[in-house]
């Protein structure tokens, strides 16, 4: 499982090499989609806390973007809430450097930690991702509904895009759309798929965008 694999990779000192490989492959795939005429606006890459705190990380990102000819605005780096909220100097500096060159920073798993709103307002992030754990009880739990509503409103107030993870049912989708949540992500729309299959899926969605989720 990913959680176990990542811990082992960190313990073995391999997580940064794996992260660099994932970043390079993601940008290479985006270039291939461009060449084949498949419209994919941007890719998001998860980065481990260890890698993100490395002061050389922004230079690595710039190098990979230049190598594959990808505009910085088409890359989103996803990091967990705990990484950004622990005020680790290198992490904050790296986020600022990436934001300065145009790379988007997404705060993953938002709502599972102990965010300081005053701190959040100063962070160089572009996006908040509501953790999938909130979706399980979203349909019938008023407390969860209130929390999700609060996150969406915080995003609106700070000018941040809000993404809801783990959307699996139509009622969840309708609730989030009524709130004005910017992006919905989950099995209701599609499971993880290979690049070629994703291209076919995008073509079908272009022909009938609401098919299967109405």
């Amino acid at each position: 499982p990913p959680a176990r694999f990542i811990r082992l990779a960190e313990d073995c000192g391999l997580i940064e090499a794996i992260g660099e490989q994932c970043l390079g492959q993601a940008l290479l795939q985006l270039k291939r989609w461009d060449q084949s005429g498949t419209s994919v606006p941007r890719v998001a890459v998860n980065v481990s806390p260890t890698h993100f705190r490395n002061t050389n990380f922004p230079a690595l990102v710039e190098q990979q973007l230049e190598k594959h000819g990808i505009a910085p605005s088409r890359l989103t780096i996803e990091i967990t809430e705990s990484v950004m909220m622990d005020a680790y100097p290198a992490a904050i500096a790296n986020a600022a450097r990436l934001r300065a060159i145009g790379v988007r920073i997404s705060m993953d798993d938002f709502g599972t930690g102990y965010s300081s709103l005053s701190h959040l307002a100063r962070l160089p992030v572009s996006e908040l991702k509501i953790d999938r754990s909130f979706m399980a009880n979203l349909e019938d739990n008023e407390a969860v509904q209130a929390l999700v509503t609060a996150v969406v409103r915080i995003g609106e107030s700070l000018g941040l895009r809000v993404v809801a993870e783990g959307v699996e049912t139509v009622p969840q989708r309708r609730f989030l759309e009524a709130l004005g949540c910017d992006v919905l992500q989950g099995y209701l729309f599609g499971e993880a798929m290979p690049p070629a299959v994703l291209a076919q899926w995008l073509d079908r969605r272009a022909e009938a965008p609401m098919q299967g989720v109405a």
Side-chain angles (χ1 to χ4, degrees):
R4 184 180 179 192
F5 171 82
I6 291 172
R7 284 199 299 269
L8 287 172
E10 289 175 339
D11 290 343
C12 295
L14 296 173
I15 193 64
E16 291 191 42
I18 293 171
E20 183 174 348
Q21 177 75 4
C22 288
L23 175 63
Q25 287 298 311
L27 294 176
L28 175 59
Q29 183 56 60
L30 187 57
K31 181 178 181 179
R32 286 173 175 167
W33 277 322
D34 287 346
Q35 293 171 339
S36 66
T38 300
S39 179
V40 177
R42 67 179 61 90
V43 294
V45 179
N46 289 91
V47 177
S48 77
T50 302
H51 205 180
F52 194 78
R53 289 167 180 159
N54 186 326
T55 55
N56 295 323
F57 181 68
L60 168 66
V61 171
E62 288 190 89
Q63 178 186 27
Q64 290 291 332
L65 287 167
E66 183 176 353
K67 176 181 177 180
H68 297 290
I70 301 297
S73 60
R74 300 183 68 196
L75 173 64
T76 297
I77 297 295
E78 294 189 6
I79 53 176
T80 60
E81 177 184 9
S82 59
V83 174
M84 290 304 295
M85 300 309 294
D86 65 5
Y88 199 93
I92 302 299
N94 282 351
R97 287 174 61 189
L98 290 169
R99 181 72 178 271
I101 66 173
V103 173
R104 298 168 182 259
I105 305 295
S106 176
M107 187 181 291
D108 202 7
D109 301 336
F110 187 75
T112 60
Y114 301 94
S115 298
S116 162
L117 295 183
S118 61
H119 189 190
L120 177 62
R122 298 193 300 270
L123 293 176
V125 298
S126 307
E127 180 179 280
L128 301 178
K129 298 191 74 174
I130 304 173
D131 188 68
R132 63 181 300 112
S133 61
F134 287 100
M135 295 302 115
N137 301 308
L138 181 64
E139 297 174 31
D140 51 19
N141 188 310
E142 292 184 359
V144 172
Q145 292 174 358
L147 288 171
V148 170
T149 300
V151 174
V152 173
R153 298 296 173 251
I154 289 170
E156 289 177 351
S157 299
L158 296 178
L160 305 176
R161 189 168 76 157
V162 179
V163 179
E165 298 180 298
V167 180
E168 298 184 359
T169 69
V170 172
Q172 290 171 350
R173 173 190 167 206
R174 288 175 176 163
F175 178 85
L176 291 161
E177 285 181 339
L179 278 181
C181 187
D182 300 300
V183 179
L184 311 186
Q185 171 186 324
Y187 287 159
L188 179 63
F189 309 101
E191 300 183 4
M193 57 191 81
V197 177
L198 175 62
Q200 297 170 1
W201 180 86
L202 288 170
D203 288 340
R204 291 196 300 270
R205 293 279 290 179
E207 296 171 359
M210 305 308 293
Q211 184 176 0
V213 296

